[in-house]
Amino acid sequence: MRDIAAQLLEWHAAGKEYAVASIIGIGGSAPRPIGAALAVDADGTVIGSISGGCVEGAVYELCRESLRTGEPLRETFGYSDTDAFAVGLTCGGTIQVFVQSVTESTRDAVEKVLRAEGEAVAMVRDLDSGAVMALGTWWTSGAEFDERVVAEAQAMLDAGTTAVRTIGCGDAEVTVFVESHVPPPRMIVFGAIDFAAAVASIGKFLGYHVTVCDAREVFATRARFPGADEVVVEWPNKYLARTQVDARTVLCVLTHDAKFDVPLLEVALRLPVAFVGAMGSRRTHEDRLQRLRAVGMTNAELARLKSPIGLDLGGRTPEETAVSIAAEIVAVRRGGTGMPLGTYGGPIHRDAIAVPEVTVPDSPDALRLTA
């Protein structure tokens, strides 16, 4: 819904009632992602799109019906080749659509989400009653939901997840659509070296907000890192201690110099971030571990360190190394093995916790997963 926020806020300012249709589920080659929205006001004005035109007419009528009755509606649209004039998706996919009217009872919660630019926020909608709650990191607004629903929605917001969830059982069961809107996750690259430029570029490609940090002003320049969102000249450990990170943040330590690495990793490995990786040879890695133990780091803290950083792809250039690093980040984020897909059975796409079984070759030389 946030992709049409500007127009919706104009309707709010004018006091208009409207109905909004949101995609809550997709299958196959659906034209728009989950969360895509179309809205219709009481005058019949339409904004947004959920299918690129295939089923917009039918969804328009659903919005008008919801405006008339005040009741939420759910509908599934799929592909039909039996009738050239039938309502359906030409791409062959399916979409599940939830439609509800936005009135005085839900307006405030919806507006909180629409106005939360740059802030992590979620809209929680009961798919049966149409109740709406806005959820931020530290606050809620709108309808009151069971604490189990709030806890699940908070976890989904922390992960940036948008999906339908059914919570509870029996008479206490509730099905909600949690639509999370979060700023891009951060990737902080420490060390203004040639490899850092390639890592910054691939980080942007993966959707991260990329910061390059180095204490050496002559190397940490915008001209050397055009792919980064920001370049910071500061001692890495001091910058990391003061900057904002969260459970999605990725830290790539490419300095491989003990005077930078040790104080930086002493901070990094105690932060609640998604990934901490450090570049260096195996000898550098062992020396780094000894130095970190000497300053009081525990084995549990050191176990979080991905070093040498990256998967074993055999690459040598900065660009190839960046692909290796990005591959490990994706594998950690999604629960991948790093193995070739052809070496095991089972689904290719899976939840992060469902790691497939793999057969490890007898020869240790046949399986090398570190850089």
Side-chain angles (χ1 to χ4, degrees):
M1 192 185 295
R2 286 279 291 276
D3 56 350
I4 55 174
Q7 298 97 318
L8 291 181
L9 286 172
E10 290 179 3
W11 288 359
H12 280 231
K16 290 187 175 184
E17 292 191 356
Y18 62 92
V20 61
S22 300
I23 296 179
I24 62 172
I26 60 175
S29 301
R32 298 295 310 281
I34 292 176
L38 175 150
V40 180
D41 72 3
D43 298 326
T45 303
V46 181
I47 57 174
S49 172
I50 62 170
S51 70
C54 304
V55 298
E56 313 290 52
V59 173
Y60 173 86
E61 293 301 331
L62 291 175
C63 288
R64 298 285 283 177
E65 182 179 349
S66 182
L67 278 169
R68 286 192 299 270
T69 65
E71 297 297 320
L73 301 165
R74 274 195 275 179
E75 186 65 75
T76 298
F77 296 94
Y79 177 74
S80 174
D81 59 2
T82 59
D83 183 351
F85 296 98
V87 174
L89 299 175
T90 58
C91 58
T94 61
I95 60 172
Q96 299 168 36
V97 179
F98 177 66
V99 180
Q100 72 175 136
S101 53
V102 177
T103 60
E104 288 300 322
S105 64
T106 56
R107 185 181 302 274
D108 288 346
V110 172
E111 187 161 331
K112 275 214 176 260
V113 174
L114 297 177
R115 292 191 180 280
E117 189 67 32
E119 178 184 356
V121 64
M123 183 184 301
V124 184
R125 286 179 270 180
D126 186 319
L127 296 184
D128 294 315
S129 70
V132 179
M133 175 178 69
L135 175 71
T137 304
W138 306 108
W139 54 267
T140 63
S141 177
E144 293 186 5
F145 282 80
D146 183 276
E147 62 182 11
R148 293 171 297 177
V149 176
V150 176
E152 177 69 15
Q154 187 66 66
M156 293 175 68
L157 176 60
D158 290 343
T161 302
T162 292
V164 172
R165 290 286 188 269
T166 299
I167 301 165
C169 60
D171 293 339
E173 182 178 278
V174 59
T175 301
V176 296
F177 177 52
V178 180
E179 183 179 353
S180 296
H181 299 280
V182 294
R186 295 192 70 188
M187 172 185 282
I188 309 178
V189 182
F190 297 98
I193 63 175
D194 50 355
F195 290 92
V199 172
S201 294
I202 204 165
K204 286 295 294 180
F205 178 76
L206 291 176
Y208 287 93
H209 180 280
V210 179
T211 300
V212 174
C213 175
D214 197 296
R216 302 166 298 175
E217 185 174 1
V218 67
F219 294 111
T221 65
R222 173 62 65 183
R224 295 189 69 227
F225 299 99
D229 293 288
E230 58 182 345
V231 179
V232 175
V233 180
E234 190 172 345
W235 276 87
N237 60 308
K238 293 182 179 179
Y239 174 71
L240 183 57
R242 70 170 178 83
T243 196
Q244 184 175 358
V245 298
D246 61 25
R248 301 179 300 146
T249 301
V250 166
L251 306 178
C252 300
V253 180
L254 310 184
T255 48
H256 53 84
D257 183 331
K259 67 176 179 289
F260 293 111
D261 290 359
V262 173
L264 172 59
L265 289 171
E266 190 177 359
V267 176
L269 292 172
R270 289 169 173 158
L271 291 174
V273 296
F275 180 93
V276 181
M279 178 178 279
S281 67
R282 300 192 187 282
R283 176 181 294 181
T284 298
H285 171 64
E286 291 303 323
D287 176 71
R288 183 189 290 135
L289 290 180
Q290 291 180 15
R291 292 173 183 269
L292 288 169
R293 290 191 181 98
V295 297
M297 302 294 294
T298 67
N299 287 336
E301 290 167 338
L302 294 176
R304 298 183 60 213
L305 177 61
K306 307 297 183 182
S307 175
I309 192 172
L311 298 185
D312 178 17
L313 304 183
R316 292 183 176 273
T317 68
E319 292 75 18
E320 290 171 339
T321 302
V323 171
S324 166
I325 292 171
E328 184 175 25
I329 291 170
V330 173
V332 169
R333 179 182 178 185
R334 300 300 188 190
T337 65
M339 295 288 292
L341 290 174
T343 61
Y344 61 82
I348 292 175
H349 301 291
R350 61 191 184 277
D351 293 335
I353 59 173
V355 179
E357 294 183 1
V358 298
T359 301
V360 179
D362 293 333
S363 169
D365 292 332
L367 178 62
R368 296 166 55 232
L369 297 180
T370 56

